[in-house]
Amino acid sequence: MQIHALGLDDFSEEEYSLIGIHTALEDYKLAYLLNKNLNTHFSKSQKNLEFENDKDSASFSIFNFSSKKYDFDWFLIANSSKRENLTESNGLLLTTETRTYLIPEKKKVDFFIKISGEVAADYVESAVSKIKNIEQIITSYSIDKNTLKSKDFLIF
């Protein structure tokens, strides 16, 4: 009789594909253009992706779309979170901005699209090419999740 052992890593690995998008668009405008060009129906999630530690907190906007036809869940996730800090110096109120990144090693990426489930590579490449054809998008490309140090932040 063969014995099979499962480690904790066998359960924590989520299967998904990742697309990086470079654009100056706001999240809601990008979601609208993706819906128009990819035939998706992204809608704003009720909750943002939030992280807190002792010093600060960050909130990243999320839009989601569930494809009943292909049984995929799509997530449009902002890579940066801005927070304004007010400080008083010599009677003056000064405002500084703190920017936090969801995936720090990909600071130039403005948004990620995470497609949950086992997705064929040609399906992802087709989506990337449609995204690239949107006029307001600088570029988009597929990202190998195994090269990311911070990939755990994408599991939610």
Side-chain angles (χ1 to χ4, degrees), residues 49-67:
L49 185 58
E50 305 208 8
F51 294 100
E52 290 186 37
N53 63 21
D54 297 340
K55 298 175 190 165
D56 38 272
S57 62
S59 179
F60 303 92
S61 70
I62 298 180
F63 287 73
N64 58 350
F65 160 65
S66 292
S67 171

Side-chain angles (χ1 to χ4, degrees), residues 59-156:
S59 179
F60 303 92
S61 70
I62 298 180
F63 287 73
N64 58 350
F65 160 65
S66 292
S67 171
K68 304 289 185 236
K69 181 178 178 182
Y70 296 111
D71 196 28
F72 299 148
D73 289 324
W74 293 51
F75 300 94
L76 174 64
I77 311 160
N79 189 33
S80 66
S81 171
K82 289 189 270 187
R83 194 181 77 223
E84 289 188 357
N85 305 313
L86 292 175
T87 56
E88 189 176 337
S89 175
N90 297 335
L92 296 173
L93 272 177
L94 302 173
T95 305
T96 57
E97 185 178 277
T98 304
R99 189 175 290 261
T100 307
Y101 294 94
L102 180 64
I103 307 294
E105 59 266 31
K106 295 285 185 187
K107 288 182 180 180
K108 296 199 185 269
V109 174
D110 298 303
F111 294 93
F112 293 103
I113 291 181
K114 174 185 169 186
I115 306 173
S116 292
E118 288 195 34
V119 184
D122 59 332
Y123 182 83
V124 174
E125 288 308 313
S126 170
V128 166
S129 110
K130 288 177 185 176
I131 294 168
K132 279 184 185 177
N133 289 331
I134 299 173
E135 191 174 312
Q136 295 90 335
I137 292 188
I138 299 164
T139 191
S140 73
Y141 48 88
S142 184
I143 297 174
D144 181 5
K145 68 179 182 187
N146 297 319
T147 63
L148 301 175
K149 295 177 192 170
S150 310
K151 67 182 175 184
D152 291 344
F153 293 136
L154 294 168
I155 299 173
F156 49 88

